Amino acid sequence: MIVVIMGKIAMSIREHETIMSYVLMLVISVEVLFIFLGLGFLQNIPPEDTRYFLSALAQVEGAIIAIYITMMLVGVQLTIKDYSEVVNEVYLGNPEFWLVFISYITSIVFTLILLQNVGNLNTSWLCLIYLWGTFNLLIVPLFIRDSFLLFNPRRLIDKFIHMHKITEERMLPKLFRIASKSIQSQNVEVATYILQKIWEYARIEFSKKLNTLAKRAEKRRGHDLNELKLMLAFIEELTFRLRYLALYTIDQFNAGRITQDEATWILNMIEPIFRIIFADLVISLYPLYFVPEIKENLEHALSQCLLELELIIEKLQEAPSEIKMEELRKFLNVLPYNFISSLERAGCEHLAERVKRLQELAKDDEKYDDFIEI
């Protein structure tokens, strides 16, 4: 039986699904209780022994919860320097911590109440408090594992994104501030991981939602038009943050704080996000350029995205050759095929002219006079 119990614990820790793991600990606690009852424990216990048992249990649980809180404070201290934007939210919003904390505090209070009435207790109350104490001890490995996982920046970011939607207000500023700090502290992997999560969201969820809203907006529903305008505003902010991070990356490379490989790694994560954004704006939303209620917002969003792309390309024109040779062509090729003709057909000649000037900007560099036409 003990071997089976240990096997269940090991399997739970390996596969760790939060709710099911704690439910499994409760089931194991019940099994342990029945084993001890079958062996004759908790029967005909003298009041003095009961008093000692309850007192010791309250002290042990108090010591354990104090260690829990200390561990959380240490975790916060270890991670707050680079990830102060999300640490407090993630740790305070961690359901495992609150489950353990509430379970222990409630158990201690309940134990102290029983301790005051030890002379009138029957076996059922002792069984309940024993079951509760066993459960509290068994969830220790799960909680420790969850706490140590949060020390990993990737896990911390995953938790934060899981708690909030990327499109929420103030979400992007927090994520990109973390990315900037990680670049400054030469922990480029964190910045690229954030960009990867944004790319995954833009490629799957965001594009799908944008297409759905576009189809509804063609019917000129007020609610859908307003929601689509919010999505366009999100696109503008996203390209602004991406541009800032791209320019910051180049500056950090120029200052010698990151290597060429690290700089190109980040830029190579930014470029495909721009590609997706322009594809959505020009291809997926093309029919809406003929809808008066949304056309102005679409043109403004596209104009801002073009501005951010222009600033990146201008910065790359001045960048060291190690980055310029590899990255300039990629950013010049993010725009969809027949981009200029699509804008002209939609009546956006002023935007088409900006794209033509973008092409001329690339031709000014003799090293890239054979660039791929947009």
Side-chain angles (χ1 to χ4, degrees):
M1 180 63 72
I2 299 298
V3 174
V4 173
I5 292 173
M6 295 304 295
K8 290 181 179 179
I9 294 176
M11 184 179 298
S12 173
I13 293 177
R14 283 196 304 268
E15 299 178 356
H16 189 57
E17 293 291 339
T18 304
I19 296 177
M20 293 307 299
S21 296
Y22 285 94
V23 170
L24 177 59
M25 293 302 103
L26 180 59
V27 172
I28 294 174
S29 300
V30 174
E31 292 183 2
V32 172
L33 175 62
F34 277 107
I35 292 173
F36 278 91
L37 288 176
L39 296 175
F41 287 87
L42 303 179
Q43 297 177 9
N44 302 320
I45 302 177
E48 288 302 319
D49 291 346
T50 302
R51 189 186 307 275
Y52 176 78
F53 166 73
L54 294 176
S55 177
L57 180 62
Q59 293 179 49
V60 169
E61 290 183 329
I64 292 176
I65 197 61
I67 295 173
Y68 281 175
I69 295 175
T70 302
M71 184 188 305
M72 295 295 291
L73 292 175
V74 170
V76 170
Q77 289 295 323
L78 289 174
T79 54
I80 200 169
K81 180 180 179 181
D82 292 332
Y83 314 107
S84 57
E85 300 286 345
V86 302
V87 165
N88 290 333
E89 289 189 48
V90 171
Y91 277 90
L92 292 178
N94 184 13
E96 290 88 346
F97 169 74
W98 291 111
L99 171 65
V100 173
F101 182 79
I102 292 173
S103 179
Y104 268 81
I105 294 299
T106 309
S107 176
I108 292 172
V109 172
F110 186 60
T111 302
L112 293 176
I113 293 173
L114 294 182
L115 190 59
Q116 297 300 316
N117 301 276
V118 70
N120 302 319
L121 295 181
N122 55 39
T123 306
S124 60
W125 288 111
L126 290 177
C127 290
L128 176 59
I129 199 63
Y130 185 86
L131 173 64
W132 204 335
T134 304
F135 172 75
N136 284 342
L137 291 176
L138 288 177
I139 61 179
V140 170
L142 296 179
F143 179 75
I144 291 176
R145 180 180 185 275
D146 287 325
S147 299
F148 275 98
L149 284 175
L150 287 180
F151 296 164
N152 186 311
R154 290 193 174 198
R155 179 75 174 186
L156 195 67
I157 293 166
D158 284 339
K159 277 272 189 179
F160 183 67
I161 293 177
H162 181 72
M163 291 168 59
H164 303 278
K165 295 180 180 178
I166 291 182
T167 53
E168 282 184 17
E169 186 179 2
R170 307 305 300 167
M171 182 69 171
L172 283 178
K174 290 181 179 180
L175 288 176
F176 277 92
R177 276 196 291 269
I178 294 173
S180 299
K181 288 180 180 178
S182 67
I183 294 173
Q184 189 176 27
S185 60
Q186 299 177 328
N187 191 8
V188 174
E189 185 179 354
V190 174
T192 56
Y193 186 71
I194 291 174
L195 291 171
Q196 178 185 342
K197 302 301 290 187
I198 293 174
W199 173 77
E200 290 173 355
Y201 173 77
R203 184 175 61 91
I204 303 174
E205 296 180 41
F206 184 77
S207 292
K208 182 178 179 181
K209 184 176 182 180
L210 204 61
N211 287 331
T212 302
L213 285 174
K215 292 177 181 178
R216 294 176 180 174
E218 285 187 76
K219 301 177 182 178
R220 291 169 172 77
R221 296 176 182 172
H223 173 74
D224 293 326
L225 288 173
N226 291 333
E227 191 171 357
L228 185 57
K229 290 176 183 178
L230 292 176
M231 297 291 281
L232 292 174
F234 170 78
I235 288 177
E236 292 181 34
E237 183 180 7
L238 177 58
T239 53
F240 167 76
R241 301 291 172 183
L242 290 170
R243 185 265 300 170
Y244 169 81
L245 191 64
L247 269 57
Y248 183 76
T249 298
I250 297 172
D251 288 338
Q252 291 296 300
F253 170 71
N254 289 337
R257 293 192 179 95
I258 59 176
T259 66
Q260 176 188 343
D261 290 339
E262 290 172 332
T264 55
W265 190 11
I266 296 171
L267 293 173
N268 286 340
M269 296 295 296
I270 294 175
E271 174 262 325
I273 301 176
F274 266 98
R275 188 183 299 274
I276 293 171
I277 289 172
F278 279 111
D280 286 334
L281 284 175
V282 179
I283 298 176
S284 301
L285 301 182
Y286 182 73
L288 295 181
Y289 282 91
F290 304 96
V291 178
E293 294 88 342
I294 199 68
K295 181 178 180 180
E296 182 179 350
N297 297 86
L298 271 171
E299 289 187 15
H300 186 271
L302 186 55
S303 176
Q304 289 301 113
C305 293
L306 277 173
L307 174 62
E308 307 302 349
L309 179 62
E310 289 166 354
L311 292 173
I312 293 175
I313 291 176
E314 288 177 2
K315 186 71 173 182
L316 285 172
Q317 289 277 344
E318 303 169 357
S321 59
E322 305 96 293
I323 294 180
K324 179 179 179 180
M325 293 176 60
E326 186 172 347
E327 298 300 324
L328 183 58
R329 185 186 299 269
K330 292 180 181 178
F331 277 93
L332 286 169
N333 199 34
V334 301
L335 301 177
Y337 181 69
N338 289 333
F339 186 51
I340 295 176
S341 58
S342 298
L343 292 176
E344 291 174 339
R345 288 195 303 271
C348 302
E349 290 81 3
H350 61 293
L351 295 178
E353 289 299 321
R354 286 178 60 182
V355 176
K356 292 177 182 177
R357 288 198 298 270
L358 195 60
Q359 290 181 336
E360 293 301 321
L361 179 65
K363 290 180 180 179
D364 288 341
D365 194 317
E366 295 180 356
K367 294 183 180 179
Y368 297 95
D369 59 358
D370 61 339
F371 73 101
I372 299 176
E373 291 288 335
I374 300 174

